[in-house]
Amino acid sequence: MSGSPGPGALAVLFTPRATRELLESVRWWRKNRLDAPRLLDDEIERALRRIAVFPRSAPLVRGRDARRAVLRRSQHLLFYRVRPRLRRIEVISVLYGGRANVPRP
């Protein structure tokens, strides 16, 4: 998965792991959240547009070369790395943040 950046925006690419996690989350969401089946899709899209233009807008994960964007309504977390020399963002993990023990990317 990748995003086509606008002027001045960085490209957004997903690692294979992040792609699997995203697809699994979206499938679960659409099946189990019938009152708002596109909420997760919409939040992911907004987050990707934001980080493509403002890549350092999310806080750094302590001890990691990664940032964490919180998707408040769906309670998901989007972990990513900024690669300024490559002019891209690498999404490395997409997890449900409501779990008691969320693994680190």
Side-chain angles (χ1 to χ4, degrees), residues 56-72:
R56 291 181 174 80
S57 62
L60 283 167
V61 176
R62 188 178 342 155
R64 304 277 181 157
D65 178 30
R67 293 180 178 272
R68 181 188 69 226
V70 177
L71 310 179
R72 295 192 192 287

Side-chain angles (χ1 to χ4, degrees), residues 17 61 64 66 79 81 92-93 95 103-105:
R17 171 186 170 175
V61 176
R64 304 277 181 157
F79 294 91
R81 291 190 179 111
I92 56 176
S93 190
L95 300 173
R104 293 181 179 235

Side-chain angles (χ1 to χ4, degrees), residues 28-47:
W28 185 94
W29 190 273
R30 289 178 183 169
K31 180 180 177 185
N32 295 285
R33 299 290 188 218
L34 301 178
D35 55 329
R38 297 226 13 109
L39 176 72
L40 179 57
D41 302 74
D42 295 343
E43 275 198 308
I44 293 282
E45 278 297 317
R46 280 193 304 275

